[in-house]
Coordinates of all heavy atoms in Angstrom, one line a residue:
K626 N 168.5 10.1 6.5 CA 169.2 11.1 5.7 C 168.5 12.4 5.5 O 169.0 13.4 5.6 CB 169.7 10.4 4.5 CG 170.6 11.4 3.5 CD 171.0 10.6 2.2 CE 169.9 10.2 1.5 NZ 170.4 9.5 0.2
D627 N 167.2 12.2 5.0 CA 166.3 13.4 4.7 C 165.4 13.6 5.8 O 164.2 13.6 5.7 CB 165.8 13.2 3.4 CG 166.7 13.2 2.3 OD1 167.7 13.9 2.4 OD2 166.6 12.4 1.3
S628 N 165.8 13.8 7.1 CA 164.9 13.9 8.1 C 165.5 14.7 9.3 O 166.7 15.0 9.3 CB 164.4 12.5 8.6 OG 165.5 11.8 9.1
V629 N 164.7 15.1 10.2 CA 165.1 15.7 11.5 C 165.4 14.6 12.5 O 164.4 13.8 12.7 CB 164.1 16.7 11.9 CG1 164.5 17.4 13.2 CG2 164.0 17.9 10.9
H630 N 166.4 14.5 13.2 CA 166.8 13.5 14.1 C 167.0 14.2 15.5 O 167.8 15.0 15.8 CB 168.2 12.8 13.6 CG 168.2 11.6 14.3 ND1 168.4 10.3 13.5 CD2 168.2 10.9 15.6 CE1 168.5 9.2 14.2 NE2 168.3 9.6 15.5
I631 N 166.2 13.6 16.4 CA 166.2 14.0 17.9 C 166.9 13.0 18.7 O 166.3 11.8 18.6 CB 164.8 14.4 18.4 CG1 164.3 15.5 17.6 CG2 164.9 14.8 19.9 CD1 162.8 15.9 18.0
T632 N 168.0 13.2 19.4 CA 168.7 12.3 20.1 C 168.7 12.7 21.7 O 169.2 13.7 21.9 CB 170.1 12.1 19.7 OG1 170.0 11.8 18.3 CG2 170.9 10.9 20.4
V633 N 168.2 11.8 22.5 CA 168.3 12.1 23.9 C 169.6 11.7 24.5 O 170.0 10.6 24.4 CB 167.1 11.2 24.7 CG1 167.3 11.6 26.2 CG2 165.8 11.7 24.2
L634 N 170.5 12.7 24.9 CA 171.8 12.4 25.3 C 171.8 12.0 26.8 O 170.7 12.1 27.5 CB 172.8 13.7 25.1 CG 172.9 14.2 23.7 CD1 173.7 15.3 23.7 CD2 173.3 13.0 22.8
N635 N 172.9 11.5 27.2 CA 173.0 11.0 28.8 C 174.1 11.7 29.4 O 175.3 11.4 29.3 CB 173.1 9.6 28.7 CG 173.3 9.0 30.1 OD1 172.8 9.7 31.1 ND2 173.8 7.9 30.4
P636 N 173.8 12.9 30.1 CA 174.8 13.6 30.9 C 175.4 12.7 32.1 O 176.4 13.2 32.6 CB 174.2 14.8 31.5 CG 172.8 14.9 30.7 CD 172.4 13.4 30.4
K637 N 174.8 11.6 32.3 CA 175.3 10.7 33.5 C 175.3 11.4 34.8 O 176.0 11.2 35.6 CB 176.7 10.2 33.2 CG 176.8 9.3 31.9 CD 178.3 8.9 31.7 CE 178.4 8.1 30.3 NZ 179.7 7.6 30.0
D638 N 174.3 12.3 34.9 CA 174.1 13.0 36.2 C 172.5 13.4 36.1 O 172.0 14.1 35.2 CB 175.0 14.3 36.3 CG 174.8 14.9 37.8 OD1 173.8 14.7 38.4 OD2 175.7 15.6 38.1
F639 N 171.8 12.9 37.0 CA 170.4 13.0 37.2 C 170.0 14.5 37.3 O 168.9 14.9 37.2 CB 169.8 12.2 38.3 CG 168.2 12.0 38.0 CD1 167.9 11.1 37.1 CD2 167.4 12.6 38.9 CE1 166.6 10.9 36.9 CE2 166.0 12.4 38.8 CZ 165.5 11.6 37.6
N640 N 170.9 15.4 37.7 CA 170.7 16.7 37.8 C 170.6 17.6 36.5 O 170.2 18.8 36.5 CB 171.7 17.4 38.7 CG 171.6 16.9 40.2 OD1 170.6 16.6 40.6 ND2 172.7 16.8 40.8
Y641 N 170.8 16.9 35.4 CA 171.0 17.6 34.1 C 170.2 16.6 33.2 O 170.2 15.4 33.1 CB 172.3 17.8 33.7 CG 173.2 18.6 34.6 CD1 174.0 17.9 35.7 CD2 173.0 20.0 35.0 CE1 174.8 18.5 36.5 CE2 173.7 20.7 35.9 CZ 174.6 19.9 36.6 OH 175.3 20.5 37.6
A642 N 169.7 17.4 32.1 CA 169.0 16.7 30.8 C 169.5 17.3 29.7 O 169.9 18.6 29.6 CB 167.6 16.7 30.9
A643 N 169.7 16.5 28.6 CA 170.3 17.0 27.2 C 169.7 16.3 26.1 O 169.4 15.2 26.2 CB 171.9 16.9 27.3
S644 N 169.5 17.1 25.1 CA 168.9 16.6 23.8 C 169.6 17.2 22.6 O 170.0 18.4 22.7 CB 167.4 16.7 23.8 OG 166.8 16.1 24.8
L645 N 169.8 16.4 21.6 CA 170.4 16.9 20.4 C 169.4 17.0 19.3 O 168.8 15.9 19.0 CB 171.6 16.1 20.1 CG 172.4 16.4 18.8 CD1 173.1 17.9 18.9 CD2 173.5 15.3 18.6
I646 N 169.3 18.0 18.4 CA 168.5 18.1 17.4 C 169.4 18.3 16.1 O 170.1 19.4 16.0 CB 167.5 19.2 17.4 CG1 166.6 19.2 18.8 CG2 166.6 19.3 16.2 CD1 165.8 20.3 19.0
Q647 N 169.3 17.4 15.1 CA 170.2 17.4 13.9 C 169.3 17.4 12.7 O 168.4 16.7 12.5 CB 171.0 16.1 13.9 CG 172.1 16.1 15.0 CD 173.0 14.8 15.0 OE1 172.5 13.7 15.4 NE2 174.1 14.8 14.4
D648 N 169.7 18.3 11.9 CA 169.1 18.4 10.6 C 170.2 18.9 9.5 O 170.5 20.1 9.4 CB 167.9 19.6 10.6 CG 167.2 19.9 9.2 OD1 167.1 18.9 8.5 OD2 167.0 20.9 9.1
K649 N 170.6 17.8 8.8 CA 171.6 18.1 7.9 C 172.9 18.6 8.5 O 173.4 18.1 9.4 CB 171.1 18.8 6.6 CG 170.1 18.1 5.8 CD 169.9 18.9 4.5 CE 168.8 18.1 3.6 NZ 168.6 18.8 2.4
Q650 N 173.2 19.9 8.1 CA 174.4 20.5 8.7 C 174.1 21.3 10.0 O 174.9 21.9 10.7 CB 174.9 21.5 7.6 CG 175.4 20.8 6.4 CD 176.4 19.9 6.5 OE1 177.4 20.0 7.5 NE2 176.4 18.8 5.9

Side-chain angles (χ1 to χ4, degrees):
K626 183 176 61 174
D627 296 323
S628 61
V629 177
H630 202 123
I631 300 173
T632 305
V633 181
L634 303 181
N635 179 19
K637 300 181 180 179
D638 189 333
F639 198 71
N640 294 322
Y641 307 100
S644 299
L645 175 65
I646 304 173
Q647 291 177 280
D648 176 36
K649 292 186 176 180
Q650 301 300 322

